[in-house]
Amino acid sequence: ISDAVESITHSLCTLEFEDHRPFYDWTIEKVLKAGLIKAKPQQIEFSRLNIKNTVLSKRKLIQLVEGNHVSGWDDPRMPTLSGIRRRGVPPSALRLFCERVGISKADSNIDYLVLEDCIRETMDKICPRAFCV
């Protein structure tokens, strides 16, 4: 409902919210008729992006941050967007990865090598390589 009040047009969420869709639509419809919001936001559900051998659970990652095992969410060792960016990964590589993986409603377990390949492919275009002995 807060999305609608804030005039957000599209709400993206994972599949666990799919069961709540009828109640969400009913509530938005009532609030819309009451004039409390101007438009009905579109809710789109999709599956989680899982990367093999990588902990992506916010609950588990927060333990690393709160236990001072890492310097924060943007620590280069963290599998977060800000952590990956601090490693020097350009946004275009992350976009390429998302394009390759695509959006699905089925659970998927993507190999980390796919992300590394996207990074390498992007970096090859913008960073010269040299080899010497």
Side-chain angles (χ1 to χ4, degrees):
I1 296 172
S2 62
D3 289 347
V5 171
E6 294 171 6
S7 299
I8 293 173
T9 58
H10 293 76
S11 174
L12 304 175
C13 55
T14 52
L15 288 175
E16 62 257 18
F17 292 95
E18 194 171 34
D19 295 338
H20 303 285
R21 173 70 87 86
F23 179 66
Y24 175 81
D25 287 341
W26 178 84
T27 304
I28 292 296
E29 194 95 4
K30 298 296 179 187
V31 174
L32 190 62
K33 285 181 184 176
L36 299 172
I37 59 173
K38 296 175 184 150
K40 178 181 177 183
Q42 182 180 358
Q43 184 175 356
I44 304 167
E45 297 93 3
F46 54 91
S47 67
R48 281 178 48 100
L49 173 61
N50 296 308
I51 300 176
K52 289 182 185 174
N53 303 318
T54 306
V55 176
L56 297 174
S57 167
K58 189 174 161 186
R59 251 181 256 129
K60 292 182 181 173
L61 292 175
I62 202 165
Q63 291 174 0
L64 296 174
V65 174
E66 290 176 348
N68 292 324
H69 300 287
V70 293
S71 61
W73 290 99
D74 63 345
D75 187 292
R77 297 170 289 178
M78 293 288 277
T80 59
L81 287 175
S82 55
I84 291 171
R85 291 283 296 123
R86 281 206 46 209
R87 272 185 247 157
V89 175
S92 54
L94 296 172
R95 280 192 293 275
L96 179 61
F97 175 68
C98 290
E99 287 172 12
R100 288 219 178 129
V101 171
I103 297 172
S104 171
K105 288 209 174 209
D107 284 337
S108 58
N109 233 348
I110 307 302
D111 198 350
Y112 193 80
L113 292 174
V114 176
L115 176 59
E116 286 180 336
D117 184 52
C118 292
I119 295 167
R120 193 174 304 107
E121 187 176 320
T122 304
M123 298 294 275
D124 280 346
K125 294 175 187 173
I126 58 176
C127 299
R129 283 192 188 199
F131 181 77
C132 64
V133 179

